[in-house]
Amino acid sequence: MRKASFPMSYLLHLDSSSIGAASVSRQVADSFRDAWTGEVVHRDLAASPAPHLSAADIAAQRTDPAQHTAEQAAAAAVQDELVEEFLGASAYLFTVPMYNRTMPSVFKAWLDQVIIVGRTIIPSGTAPSAGRPAVLISARGGYGPGTPNHGKDFLVPALESVLGDPAYLGLDVTTLTPELTKAPVVPALAHLIPVHEASLADAHEQARVQAEKISQQLAA
Protein backbone atom coordinates (compact mmCIF):
# COMPACT_ATOMS: atom_id res chain seq x y z
CA MET A 1 0.00 0.00 0.00
CA ARG A 2 1.33 3.46 -0.90
CA LYS A 3 2.34 5.60 2.08
CA ALA A 4 0.46 8.82 2.67
CA SER A 5 2.32 11.93 1.53
CA PHE A 6 2.58 15.10 3.60
CA PRO A 7 4.18 18.41 2.63
CA MET A 8 7.35 19.29 4.51
CA SER A 9 6.60 21.51 7.49
CA TYR A 10 8.88 20.57 10.39
CA LEU A 11 10.18 17.67 12.42
CA LEU A 12 8.84 17.64 15.96
CA HIS A 13 11.66 16.28 18.13
CA LEU A 14 10.68 15.34 21.68
CA ASP A 15 13.30 14.32 24.25
CA SER A 16 12.36 12.75 27.58
CA SER A 17 15.57 11.35 29.08
CA SER A 18 16.55 12.87 32.42
CA ILE A 19 20.32 12.59 31.96
CA GLY A 20 20.94 15.05 29.14
CA ALA A 21 23.89 14.48 26.83
CA ALA A 22 24.76 11.20 28.59
CA SER A 23 21.52 9.67 27.31
CA VAL A 24 22.01 6.97 24.69
CA SER A 25 18.57 7.73 23.26
CA ARG A 26 19.55 11.38 22.80
CA GLN A 27 22.90 10.41 21.27
CA VAL A 28 21.18 8.24 18.66
CA ALA A 29 18.72 11.08 18.01
CA ASP A 30 21.74 13.31 17.31
CA SER A 31 22.65 10.97 14.44
CA PHE A 32 19.14 11.36 13.06
CA ARG A 33 19.33 15.14 13.38
CA ASP A 34 22.74 15.24 11.67
CA ALA A 35 21.18 13.66 8.59
CA TRP A 36 17.91 15.61 8.70
CA THR A 37 17.59 18.35 6.10
CA GLY A 38 14.42 20.16 7.15
CA GLU A 39 13.21 22.46 9.88
CA VAL A 40 13.04 21.20 13.47
CA VAL A 41 10.95 22.12 16.49
CA HIS A 42 12.60 20.65 19.59
CA ARG A 43 10.89 20.19 22.93
CA ASP A 44 12.94 18.84 25.85
CA LEU A 45 10.32 17.41 28.20
CA ALA A 46 12.92 16.69 30.88
CA ALA A 47 13.90 20.36 31.02
CA SER A 48 10.40 21.79 30.50
CA PRO A 49 7.85 19.08 31.30
CA ALA A 50 4.25 19.20 30.26
CA PRO A 51 1.96 19.26 33.29
CA HIS A 52 0.41 16.01 34.39
CA LEU A 53 -3.25 15.73 33.50
CA SER A 54 -5.48 17.40 36.09
CA ALA A 55 -9.20 17.76 36.72
CA ALA A 56 -9.02 21.21 35.13
CA ASP A 57 -7.42 19.74 32.00
CA ILE A 58 -10.18 17.18 31.62
CA ALA A 59 -12.92 19.69 32.35
CA ALA A 60 -11.46 22.12 29.81
CA GLN A 61 -11.79 19.47 27.09
CA ARG A 62 -15.47 18.92 27.92
CA THR A 63 -16.60 22.48 28.55
CA ASP A 64 -17.53 25.22 26.09
CA PRO A 65 -14.56 27.62 26.07
CA ALA A 66 -16.96 30.49 26.77
CA GLN A 67 -17.77 28.79 30.07
CA HIS A 68 -14.19 28.06 31.17
CA THR A 69 -13.06 29.04 34.61
CA ALA A 70 -9.71 30.79 34.87
CA GLU A 71 -8.08 27.47 35.80
CA GLN A 72 -9.71 25.68 32.87
CA ALA A 73 -8.72 28.46 30.46
CA ALA A 74 -5.09 28.13 31.58
CA ALA A 75 -5.25 24.36 31.15
CA ALA A 76 -6.80 24.73 27.69
CA ALA A 77 -4.04 27.13 26.65
CA VAL A 78 -1.38 24.52 27.47
CA GLN A 79 -3.28 21.82 25.62
CA ASP A 80 -3.78 24.06 22.60
CA GLU A 81 -0.06 24.84 22.40
CA LEU A 82 0.95 21.18 22.59
CA VAL A 83 -1.75 19.92 20.22
CA GLU A 84 -1.08 22.61 17.61
CA GLU A 85 2.65 21.91 17.79
CA PHE A 86 1.99 18.19 17.35
CA LEU A 87 -0.46 18.57 14.47
CA GLY A 88 1.73 21.16 12.74
CA ALA A 89 4.55 18.65 12.26
CA SER A 90 4.98 16.47 9.20
CA ALA A 91 7.35 14.03 10.95
CA TYR A 92 8.30 13.08 14.49
CA LEU A 93 11.38 12.02 16.45
CA PHE A 94 10.71 10.66 19.94
CA THR A 95 13.42 9.65 22.43
CA VAL A 96 11.80 7.59 25.16
CA PRO A 97 14.24 5.46 27.17
CA MET A 98 13.00 2.66 29.39
CA TYR A 99 12.71 3.66 33.04
CA ASN A 100 11.64 0.88 35.41
CA ARG A 101 10.06 -1.06 32.55
CA THR A 102 7.97 1.88 31.41
CA MET A 103 8.32 5.35 29.93
CA PRO A 104 9.60 8.50 31.69
CA SER A 105 6.65 10.17 33.38
CA VAL A 106 7.29 13.38 31.43
CA PHE A 107 6.54 11.60 28.15
CA LYS A 108 3.36 10.05 29.55
CA ALA A 109 2.29 13.53 30.70
CA TRP A 110 2.84 14.87 27.19
CA LEU A 111 0.83 12.02 25.67
CA ASP A 112 -2.04 12.67 28.08
CA GLN A 113 -2.09 16.33 27.09
CA VAL A 114 -2.12 15.77 23.31
CA ILE A 115 -4.43 12.75 23.06
CA ILE A 116 -7.80 14.46 22.95
CA VAL A 117 -10.92 12.89 21.50
CA GLY A 118 -12.21 14.95 18.61
CA ARG A 119 -8.88 16.70 18.04
CA THR A 120 -6.04 14.21 17.75
CA ILE A 121 -8.05 10.98 17.84
CA ILE A 122 -11.32 10.63 15.96
CA PRO A 123 -13.71 7.87 17.05
CA SER A 124 -14.83 5.89 14.00
CA GLY A 125 -12.67 8.17 11.85
CA THR A 126 -9.09 8.91 10.86
CA ALA A 127 -6.70 10.79 13.13
CA PRO A 128 -5.34 13.99 11.53
CA SER A 129 -1.79 12.70 12.08
CA ALA A 130 -2.47 9.27 10.54
CA GLY A 131 0.30 8.02 8.28
CA ARG A 132 2.86 10.65 9.20
CA PRO A 133 6.36 9.17 9.69
CA ALA A 134 7.78 8.87 13.20
CA VAL A 135 11.00 7.46 14.60
CA LEU A 136 10.95 6.19 18.17
CA ILE A 137 14.33 5.73 19.88
CA SER A 138 14.17 3.75 23.11
CA ALA A 139 17.45 2.74 24.75
CA ARG A 140 17.26 0.08 27.43
CA GLY A 141 19.36 -2.19 29.59
CA GLY A 142 18.71 -5.43 27.72
CA TYR A 143 15.27 -6.62 26.59
CA GLY A 144 15.81 -7.93 23.05
CA PRO A 145 16.56 -11.53 21.99
CA GLY A 146 19.58 -12.94 23.78
CA THR A 147 19.47 -10.36 26.58
CA PRO A 148 18.75 -11.02 30.28
CA ASN A 149 15.24 -9.53 30.24
CA HIS A 150 14.02 -10.74 26.86
CA GLY A 151 10.24 -11.00 26.87
CA LYS A 152 9.77 -8.34 29.54
CA ASP A 153 9.56 -5.29 27.30
CA PHE A 154 6.28 -3.59 28.25
CA LEU A 155 7.34 -0.18 26.97
CA VAL A 156 7.85 -0.42 23.22
CA PRO A 157 4.60 -2.34 22.57
CA ALA A 158 2.66 0.28 24.54
CA LEU A 159 4.33 3.18 22.72
CA GLU A 160 3.88 1.60 19.30
CA SER A 161 0.21 1.05 20.10
CA VAL A 162 -0.52 4.58 21.31
CA LEU A 163 1.57 6.29 18.63
CA GLY A 164 0.82 3.95 15.75
CA ASP A 165 -2.60 2.38 16.27
CA PRO A 166 -5.07 3.81 13.72
CA ALA A 167 -7.56 4.20 16.55
CA TYR A 168 -5.11 6.55 18.30
CA LEU A 169 -2.52 8.80 16.64
CA GLY A 170 -1.98 6.50 13.65
CA LEU A 171 1.66 7.44 13.02
CA ASP A 172 3.88 5.33 10.77
CA VAL A 173 6.34 4.34 13.51
CA THR A 174 9.86 2.99 13.07
CA THR A 175 11.43 1.89 16.36
CA LEU A 176 15.15 1.80 17.18
CA THR A 177 16.18 0.07 20.42
CA PRO A 178 19.85 0.39 21.41
CA GLU A 179 20.29 -2.57 23.75
CA LEU A 180 22.34 -3.40 26.82
CA THR A 181 23.23 0.16 27.77
CA LYS A 182 24.26 -1.12 31.21
CA ALA A 183 26.78 -3.62 29.85
CA PRO A 184 29.75 -1.21 30.01
CA VAL A 185 29.09 -0.38 33.69
CA VAL A 186 27.62 -3.58 35.22
CA PRO A 187 30.31 -6.26 35.71
CA ALA A 188 27.82 -9.13 35.38
CA LEU A 189 26.97 -7.91 31.86
CA ALA A 190 30.54 -7.34 30.70
CA HIS A 191 30.44 -10.37 28.41
CA LEU A 192 27.63 -8.66 26.49
CA ILE A 193 29.58 -5.50 25.69
CA PRO A 194 30.15 -6.60 22.05
CA VAL A 195 26.40 -7.10 21.64
CA HIS A 196 25.80 -3.65 23.10
CA GLU A 197 28.36 -2.04 20.81
CA ALA A 198 26.87 -3.71 17.74
CA SER A 199 23.34 -2.70 18.74
CA LEU A 200 24.40 0.89 19.35
CA ALA A 201 26.27 1.15 16.06
CA ASP A 202 23.26 -0.24 14.21
CA ALA A 203 20.91 2.23 15.94
CA HIS A 204 23.09 5.18 14.90
CA GLU A 205 23.22 3.94 11.31
CA GLN A 206 19.49 3.27 11.14
CA ALA A 207 18.79 6.72 12.61
CA ARG A 208 20.75 8.31 9.75
CA VAL A 209 19.02 6.09 7.20
CA GLN A 210 15.57 6.99 8.52
CA ALA A 211 16.34 10.72 8.55
CA GLU A 212 17.43 10.63 4.91
CA LYS A 213 14.48 8.43 3.90
CA ILE A 214 11.86 10.60 5.59
CA SER A 215 13.45 13.84 4.34
CA GLN A 216 13.27 12.53 0.78
CA GLN A 217 9.73 11.26 1.24
CA LEU A 218 8.48 14.62 2.45
CA ALA A 219 10.36 16.59 -0.18
CA ALA A 220 8.90 14.53 -3.03
Side-chain angles (χ1 to χ4, degrees):
M1 184 173 67
R2 185 177 182 273
K3 298 285 187 189
S5 176
F6 299 93
M8 175 75 82
S9 57
Y10 56 82
L11 172 78
L12 178 58
H13 174 191
L14 295 181
D15 277 319
S16 63
S17 170
S18 298
I19 58 174
S23 162
V24 171
S25 296
R26 290 180 187 249
Q27 291 167 12
V28 174
D30 286 343
S31 290
F32 183 102
R33 290 283 302 273
D34 287 344
W36 180 256
T37 58
E39 297 295 321
V40 177
V41 171
H42 179 229
R43 183 177 288 270
D44 188 338
L45 295 171
S48 299
H52 286 277
L53 203 63
S54 68
D57 293 309
I58 296 170
Q61 297 173 17
R62 300 174 178 176
T63 306
D64 186 326
Q67 304 300 318
H68 280 171
T69 65
E71 186 180 17
Q72 290 167 358
V78 171
Q79 291 175 350
D80 287 345
E81 176 186 348
L82 295 174
V83 167
E84 290 168 11
E85 181 178 78
F86 172 73
L87 292 179
S90 53
Y92 305 88
L93 175 62
F94 303 112
T95 67
V96 190
M98 181 182 287
Y99 285 1
N100 300 316
R101 296 189 178 176
T102 188
M103 68 190 77
S105 64
V106 292
F107 193 79
K108 180 61 164 63
W110 177 84
L111 280 175
D112 288 341
Q113 291 288 354
V114 301
I115 295 178
I116 300 176
V117 175
R119 296 185 69 182
T120 54
I121 61 173
I122 311 297
S124 303
T126 302
S129 58
R132 298 180 189 178
V135 172
L136 166 65
I137 301 170
S138 184
R140 63 265 194 89
Y143 288 79
T147 62
N149 291 304
H150 182 221
K152 298 178 182 179
D153 176 7
F154 309 111
L155 171 59
V156 167
L159 286 171
E160 290 180 337
S161 177
V162 172
L163 297 172
D165 191 320
Y168 271 75
L169 299 178
L171 303 177
D172 180 14
V173 181
T174 297
T175 304
L176 307 180
T177 52
E179 290 281 1
L180 291 159
T181 56
K182 299 295 184 183
V185 294
V186 176
L189 298 177
H191 65 290
L192 293 172
I193 288 176
V195 180
H196 158 67
E197 292 175 341
S199 176
L200 182 58
D202 182 64
H204 280 288
E205 176 59 22
Q206 290 306 311
R208 290 186 285 268
V209 167
Q210 288 300 316
E212 293 171 357
K213 175 183 175 182
I214 294 169
S215 294
Q216 292 169 4
Q217 175 187 342
L218 296 177

